[in-house]
Amino acid sequence: MPSMTSASPPAGAITDVAGLEVGHWTATQRPTGCTVVLARAGAVGGVDVRGAAPGTRETDLLAPANLVDRVHAVLLSGGSAWGLDAAGGVMLWLDRQGIGLDVGVARVPIVPAAVLFDLHVGDASIRPDAAAGEAACEAASAQPPAEGCVGAGTGAVVGKVFGLDLAMKGGIGTASVRAGGFTVGALVACNAVGDVLDPETGTLLAGARTPDGRALRDTRTALLAGEAPRRLLAGTNTTIGVVATDAVLTKAQAQRLAMAGHDGFARAIRPAHTMLDGDTLFALGTGTSGRPPDMLLLATLAAEAVARATVRAVLTARSLTLGSLHLPAACDLPAAR
């Protein structure tokens, strides 16, 4: 299997950030699923949406000028807009735990969410719902989460610029980095229209394949050479994720952390943030370190963690065959520069 470099440090996980848990629900009927990041004690939240075709919920409240400053979970889901229903299940589960924003007459769990499009892989009538969101919460733990073709990454596909038949399998990945007494972790479900590469070496890892299907095509080089992309439906691609830290953040700093995290997408995916993608990154600050951040350092760590998690999303994926559709994984093809 390709790797970032032979000297790469251990990948780590978003759950290395104290105060967070992750759980997956993976459908058995077709490749789809959802993933929840729980912050039972609440976390300061932020978001940055860069793709032009997003599917999201509760993102407006994360704006620094708006009132609510803490969230209790973030949901990442397959199923396109249908998958947003799974966030209701996360709310129900949190409500049973007595977790939420105290509004006097009740506690209202705050659960932002983002979805990716995986309806073209199997029976599109099967998608994550409220029961799926609850199941993901039941499965959540502080242990390093499973990666690859699980949860929100189950039906993810990358490299679709020249058609689904020449694309490859995406997935979900996680990573963490530590410096200056802070931990920053990321969880990324990669369903990009573009290719995924190792940002350290520039080596392509997964993406559009050559017409014979046996090697990587290099979408950037092909487009620059004048090769015409296939006509694709906007919104059928998206990379979504969460970047989190144990630093004590304000809402404005959380938004800035999400913005910096998108640099990791841009380093590991090309092209990123397209008109056909709904790239969305949430940020969480658990505050468990008890220390305010050095934002220059934290932004650097955020971009690094997101890039590494994006790479992990394709390196841990496995091939998928559905009828005549075969989507190889990074481990099935030789990497090419």
PDB file of all heavy atoms in Angstrom, residues 5-23:
ATOM      1  N   THR A   5       5.257   8.766   3.582  1.00  0.00           N
ATOM      2  CA  THR A   5       6.691   8.591   3.422  1.00  0.00           C
ATOM      3  C   THR A   5       7.096   7.491   4.370  1.00  0.00           C
ATOM      4  O   THR A   5       6.405   7.200   5.343  1.00  0.00           O
ATOM      5  CB  THR A   5       7.494   9.865   3.774  1.00  0.00           C
ATOM      6  OG1 THR A   5       7.343  10.138   5.167  1.00  0.00           O
ATOM      7  CG2 THR A   5       7.055  11.061   2.962  1.00  0.00           C
ATOM      8  N   SER A   6       8.249   6.899   4.126  1.00  0.00           N
ATOM      9  CA  SER A   6       8.688   5.824   4.998  1.00  0.00           C
ATOM     10  C   SER A   6       8.978   6.321   6.399  1.00  0.00           C
ATOM     11  O   SER A   6       8.993   5.553   7.355  1.00  0.00           O
ATOM     12  CB  SER A   6       9.956   5.176   4.417  1.00  0.00           C
ATOM     13  OG  SER A   6      10.986   6.147   4.283  1.00  0.00           O
ATOM     14  N   ALA A   7       9.220   7.647   6.535  1.00  0.00           N
ATOM     15  CA  ALA A   7       9.524   8.202   7.845  1.00  0.00           C
ATOM     16  C   ALA A   7       8.320   8.881   8.480  1.00  0.00           C
ATOM     17  O   ALA A   7       8.458   9.597   9.458  1.00  0.00           O
ATOM     18  CB  ALA A   7      10.671   9.207   7.718  1.00  0.00           C
ATOM     19  N   SER A   8       7.124   8.683   7.931  1.00  0.00           N
ATOM     20  CA  SER A   8       5.930   9.336   8.463  1.00  0.00           C
ATOM     21  C   SER A   8       5.685   8.924   9.900  1.00  0.00           C
ATOM     22  O   SER A   8       5.829   7.756  10.264  1.00  0.00           O
ATOM     23  CB  SER A   8       4.706   8.969   7.615  1.00  0.00           C
ATOM     24  OG  SER A   8       4.803   9.544   6.346  1.00  0.00           O
ATOM     25  N   PRO A   9       5.282   9.869  10.750  1.00  0.00           N
ATOM     26  CA  PRO A   9       4.952   9.529  12.129  1.00  0.00           C
ATOM     27  C   PRO A   9       3.626   8.783  12.187  1.00  0.00           C
ATOM     28  O   PRO A   9       2.876   8.754  11.206  1.00  0.00           O
ATOM     29  CB  PRO A   9       4.832  10.911  12.788  1.00  0.00           C
ATOM     30  CG  PRO A   9       4.434  11.821  11.673  1.00  0.00           C
ATOM     31  CD  PRO A   9       5.124  11.284  10.452  1.00  0.00           C
ATOM     32  N   PRO A  10       3.316   8.149  13.318  1.00  0.00           N
ATOM     33  CA  PRO A  10       2.012   7.497  13.451  1.00  0.00           C
ATOM     34  C   PRO A  10       0.896   8.488  13.142  1.00  0.00           C
ATOM     35  O   PRO A  10       0.988   9.679  13.450  1.00  0.00           O
ATOM     36  CB  PRO A  10       1.993   7.058  14.923  1.00  0.00           C
ATOM     37  CG  PRO A  10       3.431   6.945  15.311  1.00  0.00           C
ATOM     38  CD  PRO A  10       4.149   8.016  14.523  1.00  0.00           C
ATOM     39  N   ALA A  11      -0.173   7.984  12.527  1.00  0.00           N
ATOM     40  CA  ALA A  11      -1.230   8.883  12.059  1.00  0.00           C
ATOM     41  C   ALA A  11      -2.006   9.518  13.199  1.00  0.00           C
ATOM     42  O   ALA A  11      -2.413  10.664  13.122  1.00  0.00           O
ATOM     43  CB  ALA A  11      -2.182   8.118  11.139  1.00  0.00           C
ATOM     44  N   GLY A  12      -2.228   8.772  14.290  1.00  0.00           N
ATOM     45  CA  GLY A  12      -3.059   9.295  15.358  1.00  0.00           C
ATOM     46  C   GLY A  12      -4.520   9.322  14.957  1.00  0.00           C
ATOM     47  O   GLY A  12      -4.911   8.780  13.915  1.00  0.00           O
ATOM     48  N   ALA A  13      -5.344   9.982  15.763  1.00  0.00           N
ATOM     49  CA  ALA A  13      -6.786  10.006  15.512  1.00  0.00           C
ATOM     50  C   ALA A  13      -7.392  11.245  16.136  1.00  0.00           C
ATOM     51  O   ALA A  13      -6.831  11.836  17.069  1.00  0.00           O
ATOM     52  CB  ALA A  13      -7.451   8.754  16.082  1.00  0.00           C
ATOM     53  N   ILE A  14      -8.562  11.634  15.645  1.00  0.00           N
ATOM     54  CA  ILE A  14      -9.253  12.789  16.202  1.00  0.00           C
ATOM     55  C   ILE A  14      -9.596  12.572  17.674  1.00  0.00           C
ATOM     56  O   ILE A  14      -9.676  13.522  18.450  1.00  0.00           O
ATOM     57  CB  ILE A  14     -10.519  13.121  15.381  1.00  0.00           C
ATOM     58  CG1 ILE A  14     -11.051  14.508  15.758  1.00  0.00           C
ATOM     59  CG2 ILE A  14     -11.577  12.042  15.530  1.00  0.00           C
ATOM     60  CD1 ILE A  14     -12.169  15.003  14.867  1.00  0.00           C
ATOM     61  N   THR A  15      -9.743  11.307  18.077  1.00  0.00           N
ATOM     62  CA  THR A  15     -10.054  11.014  19.477  1.00  0.00           C
ATOM     63  C   THR A  15      -8.854  11.212  20.394  1.00  0.00           C
ATOM     64  O   THR A  15      -8.994  11.076  21.618  1.00  0.00           O
ATOM     65  CB  THR A  15     -10.596   9.583  19.610  1.00  0.00           C
ATOM     66  OG1 THR A  15      -9.724   8.684  18.910  1.00  0.00           O
ATOM     67  CG2 THR A  15     -12.003   9.469  19.045  1.00  0.00           C
ATOM     68  N   ASP A  16      -7.688  11.553  19.847  1.00  0.00           N
ATOM     69  CA  ASP A  16      -6.569  11.970  20.695  1.00  0.00           C
ATOM     70  C   ASP A  16      -6.845  13.322  21.339  1.00  0.00           C
ATOM     71  O   ASP A  16      -6.167  13.706  22.293  1.00  0.00           O
ATOM     72  CB  ASP A  16      -5.276  12.049  19.870  1.00  0.00           C
ATOM     73  CG  ASP A  16      -4.790  10.685  19.409  1.00  0.00           C
ATOM     74  OD1 ASP A  16      -5.107   9.681  20.082  1.00  0.00           O
ATOM     75  OD2 ASP A  16      -4.085  10.628  18.375  1.00  0.00           O
ATOM     76  N   VAL A  17      -7.830  14.049  20.818  1.00  0.00           N
ATOM     77  CA  VAL A  17      -8.288  15.296  21.432  1.00  0.00           C
ATOM     78  C   VAL A  17      -9.232  14.930  22.568  1.00  0.00           C
ATOM     79  O   VAL A  17     -10.322  14.384  22.334  1.00  0.00           O
ATOM     80  CB  VAL A  17      -8.997  16.200  20.405  1.00  0.00           C
ATOM     81  CG1 VAL A  17      -9.539  17.459  21.078  1.00  0.00           C
ATOM     82  CG2 VAL A  17      -8.045  16.560  19.270  1.00  0.00           C
ATOM     83  N   ALA A  18      -8.822  15.198  23.788  1.00  0.00           N
ATOM     84  CA  ALA A  18      -9.623  14.816  24.960  1.00  0.00           C
ATOM     85  C   ALA A  18     -11.002  15.465  24.897  1.00  0.00           C
ATOM     86  O   ALA A  18     -11.138  16.641  24.560  1.00  0.00           O
ATOM     87  CB  ALA A  18      -8.900  15.230  26.242  1.00  0.00           C
ATOM     88  N   GLY A  19     -12.019  14.660  25.228  1.00  0.00           N
ATOM     89  CA  GLY A  19     -13.388  15.153  25.246  1.00  0.00           C
ATOM     90  C   GLY A  19     -14.201  14.761  24.031  1.00  0.00           C
ATOM     91  O   GLY A  19     -15.393  15.092  23.963  1.00  0.00           O
ATOM     92  N   LEU A  20     -13.590  14.038  23.077  1.00  0.00           N
ATOM     93  CA  LEU A  20     -14.309  13.648  21.864  1.00  0.00           C
ATOM     94  C   LEU A  20     -14.439  12.130  21.765  1.00  0.00           C
ATOM     95  O   LEU A  20     -13.562  11.384  22.189  1.00  0.00           O
ATOM     96  CB  LEU A  20     -13.586  14.156  20.618  1.00  0.00           C
ATOM     97  CG  LEU A  20     -13.450  15.665  20.468  1.00  0.00           C
ATOM     98  CD1 LEU A  20     -12.766  15.993  19.156  1.00  0.00           C
ATOM     99  CD2 LEU A  20     -14.801  16.368  20.557  1.00  0.00           C
ATOM    100  N   GLU A  21     -15.553  11.698  21.174  1.00  0.00           N
ATOM    101  CA  GLU A  21     -15.786  10.291  20.843  1.00  0.00           C
ATOM    102  C   GLU A  21     -16.283  10.222  19.403  1.00  0.00           C
ATOM    103  O   GLU A  21     -16.899  11.160  18.910  1.00  0.00           O
ATOM    104  CB  GLU A  21     -16.843   9.682  21.774  1.00  0.00           C
ATOM    105  CG  GLU A  21     -16.516   9.763  23.253  1.00  0.00           C
ATOM    106  CD  GLU A  21     -17.724   9.409  24.104  1.00  0.00           C
ATOM    107  OE1 GLU A  21     -18.277   8.308  23.939  1.00  0.00           O
ATOM    108  OE2 GLU A  21     -18.142  10.272  24.909  1.00  0.00           O
ATOM    109  N   VAL A  22     -16.019   9.106  18.747  1.00  0.00           N
ATOM    110  CA  VAL A  22     -16.459   8.902  17.369  1.00  0.00           C
ATOM    111  C   VAL A  22     -17.165   7.568  17.243  1.00  0.00           C
ATOM    112  O   VAL A  22     -16.719   6.557  17.817  1.00  0.00           O
ATOM    113  CB  VAL A  22     -15.265   8.945  16.384  1.00  0.00           C
ATOM    114  CG1 VAL A  22     -15.721   8.592  14.961  1.00  0.00           C
ATOM    115  CG2 VAL A  22     -14.610  10.321  16.395  1.00  0.00           C
ATOM    116  N   GLY A  23     -18.282   7.560  16.510  1.00  0.00           N
ATOM    117  CA  GLY A  23     -18.997   6.327  16.235  1.00  0.00           C
ATOM    118  C   GLY A  23     -19.457   6.272  14.794  1.00  0.00           C
ATOM    119  O   GLY A  23     -19.789   7.303  14.195  1.00  0.00           O
TER     120      GLY A  23
END
